[in-house]
Amino acid sequence: KNINFEIYAKVAEITGSSIKSAALSAAYRAAAEKRAITNQDLVEAVDYECRRMGRTGVGNELYGALY
């Protein structure tokens, strides 16, 4: 539903493997709750991947760009 991947690419600036990890994390979370993936799932998953790499505040930047 209306997921703007261009914003994620511009703000997050993460590697392909991190994108894959974030996408899978968001998908598993949504599937566990038997619903479609939302922007919130993706923001939280991308933010987690960035924090693993030592970058903080990406979630706030994404929320600001999306909403």
Side-chain angles (χ1 to χ4, degrees):
K1 274 187 172 182
N2 301 328
I3 294 175
N4 187 339
F5 292 103
E6 187 176 321
I7 291 173
Y8 290 92
K10 287 180 181 176
V11 174
E13 298 179 9
I14 56 178
T15 65
S17 62
S18 293
I19 292 168
K20 180 180 176 182
S21 293
L24 285 173
S25 177
Y28 283 129
R29 179 180 181 176
E33 296 176 13
K34 296 181 171 101
R35 59 177 177 74
I37 298 171
T38 64
N39 271 314
Q40 183 173 345
D41 295 321
L42 288 169
V43 167
E44 291 175 6
V46 168
D47 185 58
Y48 175 76
E49 287 299 317
C50 288
R51 282 187 282 125
R52 284 182 32 172
M53 295 183 292
R55 290 183 54 214
T56 60
V58 174
N60 291 334
E61 290 179 46
L62 285 169
Y63 277 120
L66 290 167
Y67 304 106

Short mmCIF file of all heavy atoms in Angstrom, two decimals:
data_model
loop_
_atom_site.label_atom_id
_atom_site.label_comp_id
_atom_site.label_asym_id
_atom_site.label_seq_id
_atom_site.Cartn_x
_atom_site.Cartn_y
_atom_site.Cartn_z
N LYS A 1 0.83 -1.20 0.00
CA LYS A 1 0.00 0.00 0.00
C LYS A 1 0.87 1.25 0.00
O LYS A 1 1.51 1.55 0.99
CB LYS A 1 -0.86 0.02 1.25
CG LYS A 1 -2.15 -0.70 1.16
CD LYS A 1 -2.94 -0.43 2.42
CE LYS A 1 -4.31 -0.97 2.32
NZ LYS A 1 -5.11 -0.68 3.48
N ASN A 2 0.91 1.95 -1.05
CA ASN A 2 1.54 3.27 -1.13
C ASN A 2 2.89 3.37 -0.43
O ASN A 2 3.12 4.27 0.35
CB ASN A 2 0.59 4.33 -0.58
CG ASN A 2 -0.71 4.39 -1.33
OD1 ASN A 2 -0.73 4.11 -2.52
ND2 ASN A 2 -1.77 4.73 -0.66
N ILE A 3 3.77 2.45 -0.71
CA ILE A 3 5.10 2.50 -0.11
C ILE A 3 6.03 3.21 -1.10
O ILE A 3 6.17 2.79 -2.24
CB ILE A 3 5.62 1.10 0.23
CG1 ILE A 3 4.74 0.52 1.34
CG2 ILE A 3 7.07 1.16 0.66
CD1 ILE A 3 5.06 -0.90 1.70
N ASN A 4 6.63 4.29 -0.66
CA ASN A 4 7.50 5.09 -1.50
C ASN A 4 8.96 4.67 -1.27
O ASN A 4 9.63 5.19 -0.39
CB ASN A 4 7.31 6.57 -1.20
CG ASN A 4 8.05 7.46 -2.16
OD1 ASN A 4 8.99 7.03 -2.81
ND2 ASN A 4 7.62 8.70 -2.25
N PHE A 5 9.41 3.73 -2.09
CA PHE A 5 10.76 3.19 -1.90
C PHE A 5 11.84 4.22 -2.21
O PHE A 5 12.95 4.11 -1.70
CB PHE A 5 10.94 1.93 -2.74
CG PHE A 5 10.11 0.78 -2.27
CD1 PHE A 5 8.95 0.43 -2.93
CD2 PHE A 5 10.47 0.07 -1.15
CE1 PHE A 5 8.17 -0.62 -2.49
CE2 PHE A 5 9.70 -0.98 -0.68
CZ PHE A 5 8.54 -1.33 -1.36
N GLU A 6 11.53 5.21 -3.01
CA GLU A 6 12.51 6.25 -3.34
C GLU A 6 12.96 6.99 -2.08
O GLU A 6 14.13 7.31 -1.92
CB GLU A 6 11.89 7.22 -4.34
CG GLU A 6 12.87 8.25 -4.87
CD GLU A 6 12.24 9.12 -5.94
OE1 GLU A 6 11.48 8.60 -6.75
OE2 GLU A 6 12.53 10.33 -5.93
N ILE A 7 12.03 7.25 -1.18
CA ILE A 7 12.36 7.93 0.07
C ILE A 7 13.31 7.08 0.90
O ILE A 7 14.29 7.57 1.46
CB ILE A 7 11.10 8.28 0.87
CG1 ILE A 7 10.32 9.38 0.14
CG2 ILE A 7 11.45 8.73 2.28
CD1 ILE A 7 8.98 9.70 0.74
N TYR A 8 13.05 5.79 0.98
CA TYR A 8 13.92 4.89 1.74
C TYR A 8 15.33 4.90 1.16
O TYR A 8 16.31 4.94 1.90
CB TYR A 8 13.37 3.47 1.75
CG TYR A 8 12.12 3.33 2.56
CD1 TYR A 8 10.88 3.47 1.99
CD2 TYR A 8 12.19 3.06 3.92
CE1 TYR A 8 9.73 3.36 2.75
CE2 TYR A 8 11.05 2.93 4.70
CZ TYR A 8 9.82 3.09 4.09
OH TYR A 8 8.68 2.98 4.84
N ALA A 9 15.42 4.87 -0.16
CA ALA A 9 16.73 4.85 -0.81
C ALA A 9 17.50 6.15 -0.55
O ALA A 9 18.70 6.12 -0.28
CB ALA A 9 16.56 4.65 -2.31
N LYS A 10 16.81 7.28 -0.60
CA LYS A 10 17.48 8.57 -0.39
C LYS A 10 17.91 8.77 1.06
O LYS A 10 19.00 9.27 1.33
CB LYS A 10 16.57 9.72 -0.81
CG LYS A 10 16.40 9.86 -2.29
CD LYS A 10 15.49 11.03 -2.61
CE LYS A 10 15.29 11.16 -4.10
NZ LYS A 10 14.33 12.21 -4.42
N VAL A 11 17.05 8.41 1.99
CA VAL A 11 17.31 8.70 3.40
C VAL A 11 18.23 7.67 4.04
O VAL A 11 19.18 8.01 4.75
CB VAL A 11 15.98 8.82 4.20
CG1 VAL A 11 16.25 8.98 5.69
CG2 VAL A 11 15.17 10.00 3.69
N ALA A 12 17.96 6.40 3.82
CA ALA A 12 18.66 5.35 4.56
C ALA A 12 20.09 5.13 4.08
O ALA A 12 20.98 4.89 4.90
CB ALA A 12 17.88 4.05 4.48
N GLU A 13 20.32 5.15 2.78
CA GLU A 13 21.65 4.91 2.23
C GLU A 13 22.30 3.67 2.83
O GLU A 13 23.36 3.74 3.46
CB GLU A 13 22.54 6.13 2.43
CG GLU A 13 22.05 7.38 1.73
CD GLU A 13 22.96 8.57 1.97
OE1 GLU A 13 24.06 8.40 2.54
OE2 GLU A 13 22.56 9.68 1.60
N ILE A 14 21.65 2.52 2.63
CA ILE A 14 22.19 1.26 3.16
C ILE A 14 22.52 0.31 2.02
O ILE A 14 22.07 0.51 0.89
CB ILE A 14 21.21 0.59 4.16
CG1 ILE A 14 19.84 0.36 3.54
CG2 ILE A 14 21.09 1.42 5.41
CD1 ILE A 14 18.84 -0.35 4.44
N THR A 15 23.31 -0.70 2.32
CA THR A 15 23.76 -1.66 1.31
C THR A 15 22.64 -2.60 0.90
O THR A 15 21.61 -2.71 1.58
CB THR A 15 24.92 -2.51 1.85
OG1 THR A 15 24.43 -3.31 2.93
CG2 THR A 15 26.07 -1.65 2.32
N GLY A 16 22.86 -3.30 -0.18
CA GLY A 16 21.87 -4.26 -0.67
C GLY A 16 21.54 -5.34 0.33
O GLY A 16 20.38 -5.72 0.49
N SER A 17 22.55 -5.84 1.03
CA SER A 17 22.29 -6.89 2.02
C SER A 17 21.48 -6.36 3.20
O SER A 17 20.63 -7.06 3.75
CB SER A 17 23.59 -7.52 2.51
OG SER A 17 24.40 -6.57 3.16
N SER A 18 21.70 -5.10 3.56
CA SER A 18 20.92 -4.49 4.64
C SER A 18 19.49 -4.23 4.21
O SER A 18 18.55 -4.37 4.99
CB SER A 18 21.57 -3.19 5.12
OG SER A 18 22.80 -3.45 5.74
N ILE A 19 19.32 -3.86 2.94
CA ILE A 19 17.97 -3.67 2.40
C ILE A 19 17.22 -5.00 2.44
O ILE A 19 16.06 -5.06 2.84
CB ILE A 19 18.03 -3.13 0.96
CG1 ILE A 19 18.57 -1.71 0.96
CG2 ILE A 19 16.66 -3.20 0.29
CD1 ILE A 19 18.92 -1.18 -0.42
N LYS A 20 17.91 -6.06 2.02
CA LYS A 20 17.29 -7.39 2.04
C LYS A 20 16.90 -7.78 3.46
O LYS A 20 15.79 -8.26 3.70
CB LYS A 20 18.25 -8.43 1.45
CG LYS A 20 17.68 -9.83 1.44
CD LYS A 20 18.67 -10.81 0.86
CE LYS A 20 18.13 -12.23 0.95
NZ LYS A 20 19.09 -13.20 0.44
N SER A 21 17.78 -7.58 4.41
CA SER A 21 17.50 -7.91 5.81
C SER A 21 16.31 -7.12 6.34
O SER A 21 15.43 -7.67 7.01
CB SER A 21 18.72 -7.65 6.70
OG SER A 21 19.75 -8.52 6.38
N ALA A 22 16.27 -5.84 6.01
CA ALA A 22 15.16 -5.00 6.47
C ALA A 22 13.85 -5.43 5.84
O ALA A 22 12.81 -5.51 6.52
CB ALA A 22 15.46 -3.53 6.16
N ALA A 23 13.88 -5.73 4.56
CA ALA A 23 12.66 -6.16 3.87
C ALA A 23 12.14 -7.48 4.44
O ALA A 23 10.93 -7.63 4.66
CB ALA A 23 12.92 -6.29 2.37
N LEU A 24 13.04 -8.40 4.68
CA LEU A 24 12.63 -9.69 5.26
C LEU A 24 12.08 -9.51 6.66
O LEU A 24 11.07 -10.12 7.04
CB LEU A 24 13.80 -10.67 5.26
CG LEU A 24 14.16 -11.27 3.92
CD1 LEU A 24 15.44 -12.10 4.02
CD2 LEU A 24 13.02 -12.14 3.40
N SER A 25 12.72 -8.68 7.44
CA SER A 25 12.25 -8.41 8.81
C SER A 25 10.85 -7.82 8.79
O SER A 25 9.96 -8.25 9.55
CB SER A 25 13.23 -7.47 9.50
OG SER A 25 12.77 -7.13 10.78
N ALA A 26 10.63 -6.85 7.93
CA ALA A 26 9.31 -6.22 7.81
C ALA A 26 8.27 -7.24 7.34
O ALA A 26 7.14 -7.27 7.84
CB ALA A 26 9.37 -5.04 6.86
N ALA A 27 8.66 -8.08 6.39
CA ALA A 27 7.73 -9.09 5.86
C ALA A 27 7.36 -10.12 6.92
O ALA A 27 6.18 -10.49 7.06
CB ALA A 27 8.35 -9.78 4.65
N TYR A 28 8.36 -10.60 7.67
CA TYR A 28 8.07 -11.57 8.73
C TYR A 28 7.17 -10.98 9.80
O TYR A 28 6.26 -11.63 10.31
CB TYR A 28 9.36 -12.09 9.36
CG TYR A 28 10.08 -13.11 8.51
CD1 TYR A 28 11.43 -12.96 8.22
CD2 TYR A 28 9.44 -14.22 8.01
CE1 TYR A 28 12.11 -13.88 7.45
CE2 TYR A 28 10.10 -15.16 7.23
CZ TYR A 28 11.43 -14.99 6.96
OH TYR A 28 12.09 -15.90 6.20
N ARG A 29 7.42 -9.73 10.15
CA ARG A 29 6.60 -9.08 11.18
C ARG A 29 5.15 -8.97 10.72
O ARG A 29 4.22 -9.27 11.47
CB ARG A 29 7.16 -7.69 11.47
CG ARG A 29 6.37 -6.94 12.49
CD ARG A 29 6.97 -5.59 12.74
NE ARG A 29 6.20 -4.89 13.76
CZ ARG A 29 6.50 -3.74 14.25
NH1 ARG A 29 7.61 -3.14 13.85
NH2 ARG A 29 5.75 -3.17 15.15
N ALA A 30 4.96 -8.53 9.48
CA ALA A 30 3.60 -8.40 8.96
C ALA A 30 2.93 -9.77 8.83
O ALA A 30 1.75 -9.92 9.18
CB ALA A 30 3.63 -7.69 7.61
N ALA A 31 3.67 -10.75 8.36
CA ALA A 31 3.10 -12.10 8.20
C ALA A 31 2.69 -12.70 9.54
O ALA A 31 1.66 -13.36 9.65
CB ALA A 31 4.10 -13.01 7.50
N ALA A 32 3.48 -12.44 10.56
CA ALA A 32 3.16 -12.96 11.90
C ALA A 32 1.84 -12.40 12.40
O ALA A 32 1.12 -13.05 13.16
CB ALA A 32 4.28 -12.64 12.88
N GLU A 33 1.52 -11.19 11.94
CA GLU A 33 0.28 -10.54 12.34
C GLU A 33 -0.80 -10.68 11.27
O GLU A 33 -1.84 -10.03 11.34
CB GLU A 33 0.54 -9.07 12.67
CG GLU A 33 1.48 -8.91 13.85
CD GLU A 33 1.83 -7.45 14.14
OE1 GLU A 33 1.17 -6.55 13.60
OE2 GLU A 33 2.76 -7.23 14.93
N LYS A 34 -0.51 -11.48 10.22
CA LYS A 34 -1.44 -11.77 9.13
C LYS A 34 -2.00 -10.50 8.48
O LYS A 34 -3.21 -10.31 8.37
CB LYS A 34 -2.58 -12.67 9.62
CG LYS A 34 -2.08 -14.02 10.06
CD LYS A 34 -3.21 -14.89 10.51
CE LYS A 34 -2.74 -16.24 10.71
NZ LYS A 34 -2.42 -16.97 11.66
N ARG A 35 -1.07 -9.64 8.06
CA ARG A 35 -1.46 -8.39 7.40
C ARG A 35 -0.40 -7.99 6.39
O ARG A 35 0.67 -8.60 6.32
CB ARG A 35 -1.65 -7.27 8.43
CG ARG A 35 -0.40 -7.01 9.25
CD ARG A 35 -0.59 -5.85 10.21
NE ARG A 35 0.59 -5.67 11.03
CZ ARG A 35 1.75 -5.16 10.63
NH1 ARG A 35 1.89 -4.77 9.39
NH2 ARG A 35 2.76 -5.03 11.46
N ALA A 36 -0.70 -6.99 5.61
CA ALA A 36 0.25 -6.49 4.61
C ALA A 36 1.35 -5.68 5.29
O ALA A 36 1.18 -5.16 6.39
CB ALA A 36 -0.48 -5.60 3.60
N ILE A 37 2.49 -5.57 4.61
CA ILE A 37 3.60 -4.76 5.10
C ILE A 37 3.19 -3.29 5.03
O ILE A 37 2.60 -2.84 4.04
CB ILE A 37 4.86 -4.98 4.24
CG1 ILE A 37 5.31 -6.43 4.32
CG2 ILE A 37 5.98 -4.05 4.67
CD1 ILE A 37 6.41 -6.78 3.34
N THR A 38 3.52 -2.55 6.06
CA THR A 38 3.22 -1.12 6.10
C THR A 38 4.51 -0.31 6.11
O THR A 38 5.60 -0.84 6.33
CB THR A 38 2.41 -0.76 7.37
OG1 THR A 38 3.24 -1.02 8.52
CG2 THR A 38 1.13 -1.56 7.46
N ASN A 39 4.36 0.99 5.91
CA ASN A 39 5.52 1.87 6.01
C ASN A 39 6.14 1.79 7.40
O ASN A 39 7.36 1.83 7.54
CB ASN A 39 5.12 3.32 5.71
CG ASN A 39 5.22 3.66 4.25
OD1 ASN A 39 6.21 3.34 3.60
ND2 ASN A 39 4.20 4.28 3.72
N GLN A 40 5.32 1.67 8.42
CA GLN A 40 5.86 1.58 9.78
C GLN A 40 6.75 0.35 9.94
O GLN A 40 7.81 0.43 10.57
CB GLN A 40 4.73 1.54 10.81
CG GLN A 40 5.27 1.51 12.24
CD GLN A 40 4.19 1.64 13.29
OE1 GLN A 40 3.07 2.03 12.98
NE2 GLN A 40 4.52 1.32 14.51
N ASP A 41 6.34 -0.78 9.37
CA ASP A 41 7.17 -1.99 9.42
C ASP A 41 8.53 -1.72 8.78
O ASP A 41 9.57 -2.10 9.31
CB ASP A 41 6.50 -3.16 8.69
CG ASP A 41 5.22 -3.62 9.33
OD1 ASP A 41 5.15 -3.66 10.58
OD2 ASP A 41 4.29 -3.96 8.59
N LEU A 42 8.49 -1.10 7.61
CA LEU A 42 9.74 -0.83 6.89
C LEU A 42 10.62 0.18 7.60
O LEU A 42 11.83 0.00 7.68
CB LEU A 42 9.43 -0.36 5.47
CG LEU A 42 8.91 -1.44 4.53
CD1 LEU A 42 8.40 -0.82 3.25
CD2 LEU A 42 10.00 -2.45 4.24
N VAL A 43 10.01 1.24 8.13
CA VAL A 43 10.79 2.25 8.85
C VAL A 43 11.49 1.61 10.04
O VAL A 43 12.70 1.82 10.24
CB VAL A 43 9.89 3.42 9.32
CG1 VAL A 43 10.62 4.30 10.33
CG2 VAL A 43 9.45 4.25 8.13
N GLU A 44 10.78 0.83 10.80
CA GLU A 44 11.38 0.21 11.98
C GLU A 44 12.46 -0.79 11.60
O GLU A 44 13.51 -0.87 12.24
CB GLU A 44 10.29 -0.46 12.83
CG GLU A 44 9.39 0.58 13.48
CD GLU A 44 8.23 -0.02 14.24
OE1 GLU A 44 8.15 -1.26 14.37
OE2 GLU A 44 7.38 0.77 14.70
N ALA A 45 12.25 -1.54 10.52
CA ALA A 45 13.25 -2.52 10.08
C ALA A 45 14.50 -1.83 9.54
O ALA A 45 15.63 -2.23 9.84
CB ALA A 45 12.65 -3.43 9.02
N VAL A 46 14.33 -0.78 8.76
CA VAL A 46 15.47 -0.03 8.22
C VAL A 46 16.22 0.66 9.36
O VAL A 46 17.46 0.65 9.40
CB VAL A 46 15.01 0.99 7.15
CG1 VAL A 46 16.13 1.96 6.80
CG2 VAL A 46 14.54 0.27 5.91
N ASP A 47 15.48 1.23 10.29
CA ASP A 47 16.11 1.88 11.45
C ASP A 47 16.95 0.88 12.23
O ASP A 47 18.08 1.18 12.63
CB ASP A 47 15.04 2.51 12.34
CG ASP A 47 15.65 3.30 13.49
OD1 ASP A 47 16.43 4.24 13.21
OD2 ASP A 47 15.34 3.01 14.66
N TYR A 48 16.43 -0.31 12.43
CA TYR A 48 17.17 -1.35 13.15
C TYR A 48 18.46 -1.70 12.40
O TYR A 48 19.53 -1.81 13.02
CB TYR A 48 16.30 -2.60 13.33
CG TYR A 48 17.06 -3.74 13.94
CD1 TYR A 48 17.34 -3.75 15.30
CD2 TYR A 48 17.50 -4.81 13.17
CE1 TYR A 48 18.05 -4.79 15.88
CE2 TYR A 48 18.22 -5.84 13.73
CZ TYR A 48 18.49 -5.84 15.08
OH TYR A 48 19.21 -6.87 15.64
N GLU A 49 18.36 -1.88 11.09
CA GLU A 49 19.56 -2.21 10.31
C GLU A 49 20.60 -1.09 10.40
O GLU A 49 21.79 -1.36 10.52
CB GLU A 49 19.19 -2.46 8.84
CG GLU A 49 18.49 -3.76 8.59
CD GLU A 49 19.32 -4.97 8.99
OE1 GLU A 49 20.53 -5.01 8.69
OE2 GLU A 49 18.75 -5.89 9.61
N CYS A 50 20.15 0.14 10.37
CA CYS A 50 21.08 1.27 10.47
C CYS A 50 21.74 1.33 11.84
O CYS A 50 22.94 1.59 11.96
CB CYS A 50 20.37 2.58 10.15
SG CYS A 50 19.95 2.75 8.40
N ARG A 51 20.95 1.07 12.88
CA ARG A 51 21.52 1.06 14.24
C ARG A 51 22.56 -0.05 14.38
O ARG A 51 23.57 0.13 15.06
CB ARG A 51 20.42 0.90 15.29
CG ARG A 51 19.68 2.22 15.53
CD ARG A 51 18.69 2.13 16.68
NE ARG A 51 17.50 1.43 16.21
CZ ARG A 51 16.97 0.35 16.77
NH1 ARG A 51 17.50 -0.16 17.85
NH2 ARG A 51 15.90 -0.22 16.27
N ARG A 52 22.34 -1.17 13.71
CA ARG A 52 23.33 -2.26 13.74
C ARG A 52 24.66 -1.81 13.14
O ARG A 52 25.72 -2.31 13.51
CB ARG A 52 22.82 -3.48 12.96
CG ARG A 52 21.80 -4.27 13.70
CD ARG A 52 21.35 -5.48 12.94
NE ARG A 52 22.40 -6.04 12.11
CZ ARG A 52 22.31 -7.17 11.46
NH1 ARG A 52 21.20 -7.87 11.52
NH2 ARG A 52 23.29 -7.63 10.72
N MET A 53 24.59 -0.86 12.20
CA MET A 53 25.80 -0.34 11.55
C MET A 53 26.33 0.91 12.25
O MET A 53 27.25 1.56 11.76
CB MET A 53 25.50 -0.02 10.09
CG MET A 53 25.16 -1.24 9.27
SD MET A 53 24.88 -0.88 7.52
CE MET A 53 23.37 0.07 7.60
N GLY A 54 25.71 1.28 13.37
CA GLY A 54 26.20 2.42 14.12
C GLY A 54 25.58 3.75 13.75
O GLY A 54 26.02 4.80 14.23
N ARG A 55 24.58 3.75 12.89
CA ARG A 55 23.91 4.99 12.48
C ARG A 55 22.60 5.12 13.25
O ARG A 55 21.78 4.21 13.25
CB ARG A 55 23.59 4.96 10.99
CG ARG A 55 24.83 5.05 10.14
CD ARG A 55 24.51 5.09 8.66
NE ARG A 55 23.57 6.15 8.34
CZ ARG A 55 22.66 6.03 7.38
NH1 ARG A 55 22.56 4.92 6.68
NH2 ARG A 55 21.85 7.03 7.12
N THR A 56 22.42 6.23 13.89
CA THR A 56 21.18 6.45 14.65
C THR A 56 20.37 7.58 14.02
O THR A 56 20.90 8.39 13.27
CB THR A 56 21.48 6.81 16.12
OG1 THR A 56 22.28 8.00 16.16
CG2 THR A 56 22.24 5.68 16.81
N GLY A 57 19.10 7.63 14.35
CA GLY A 57 18.25 8.70 13.89
C GLY A 57 17.63 8.50 12.52
O GLY A 57 16.88 9.36 12.05
N VAL A 58 17.94 7.39 11.86
CA VAL A 58 17.41 7.17 10.52
C VAL A 58 15.89 7.00 10.56
O VAL A 58 15.18 7.51 9.69
CB VAL A 58 18.09 5.96 9.85
CG1 VAL A 58 17.43 5.62 8.52
CG2 VAL A 58 19.56 6.23 9.67
N GLY A 59 15.39 6.33 11.58
CA GLY A 59 13.95 6.17 11.72
C GLY A 59 13.23 7.50 11.78
O GLY A 59 12.21 7.71 11.12
N ASN A 60 13.77 8.44 12.55
CA ASN A 60 13.18 9.78 12.65
C ASN A 60 13.23 10.50 11.32
O ASN A 60 12.28 11.20 10.93
CB ASN A 60 13.88 10.61 13.73
CG ASN A 60 13.61 10.11 15.11
OD1 ASN A 60 12.58 9.48 15.38
ND2 ASN A 60 14.52 10.35 16.02
N GLU A 61 14.33 10.35 10.59
CA GLU A 61 14.44 10.98 9.28
C GLU A 61 13.41 10.41 8.30
O GLU A 61 12.79 11.15 7.54
CB GLU A 61 15.84 10.77 8.69
CG GLU A 61 16.94 11.54 9.39
CD GLU A 61 18.29 11.25 8.76
OE1 GLU A 61 18.38 11.27 7.52
OE2 GLU A 61 19.23 10.98 9.52
N LEU A 62 13.24 9.08 8.36
CA LEU A 62 12.26 8.45 7.48
C LEU A 62 10.84 8.88 7.82
O LEU A 62 10.05 9.19 6.92
CB LEU A 62 12.38 6.92 7.55
CG LEU A 62 13.57 6.32 6.82
CD1 LEU A 62 13.75 4.86 7.18
CD2 LEU A 62 13.40 6.48 5.32
N TYR A 63 10.51 8.90 9.11
CA TYR A 63 9.18 9.36 9.51
C TYR A 63 8.95 10.79 9.03
O TYR A 63 7.87 11.12 8.53
CB TYR A 63 8.99 9.29 11.02
CG TYR A 63 8.59 7.93 11.53
CD1 TYR A 63 9.38 7.25 12.44
CD2 TYR A 63 7.41 7.32 11.11
CE1 TYR A 63 9.01 6.00 12.91
CE2 TYR A 63 7.04 6.07 11.56
CZ TYR A 63 7.84 5.42 12.47
OH TYR A 63 7.48 4.18 12.93
N GLY A 64 9.95 11.65 9.18
CA GLY A 64 9.83 13.03 8.72
C GLY A 64 9.61 13.13 7.22
O GLY A 64 8.82 13.95 6.75
N ALA A 65 10.30 12.30 6.47
CA ALA A 65 10.17 12.33 5.01
C ALA A 65 8.84 11.73 4.54
O ALA A 65 8.28 12.16 3.51
CB ALA A 65 11.32 11.57 4.37
N LEU A 66 8.33 10.76 5.28
CA LEU A 66 7.11 10.07 4.87
C LEU A 66 5.84 10.76 5.34
O LEU A 66 4.81 10.70 4.67
CB LEU A 66 7.10 8.63 5.42
CG LEU A 66 8.11 7.69 4.78
CD1 LEU A 66 8.25 6.41 5.59
CD2 LEU A 66 7.69 7.36 3.36
N TYR A 67 5.91 11.40 6.49
CA TYR A 67 4.68 11.96 7.06
C TYR A 67 4.84 13.42 7.23
O TYR A 67 4.79 14.25 7.70
CB TYR A 67 4.33 11.28 8.39
CG TYR A 67 4.20 9.79 8.25
CD1 TYR A 67 5.19 8.94 8.74
CD2 TYR A 67 3.12 9.23 7.59
CE1 TYR A 67 5.07 7.56 8.59
CE2 TYR A 67 3.00 7.86 7.46
CZ TYR A 67 3.98 7.04 7.95
OH TYR A 67 3.86 5.69 7.81
#
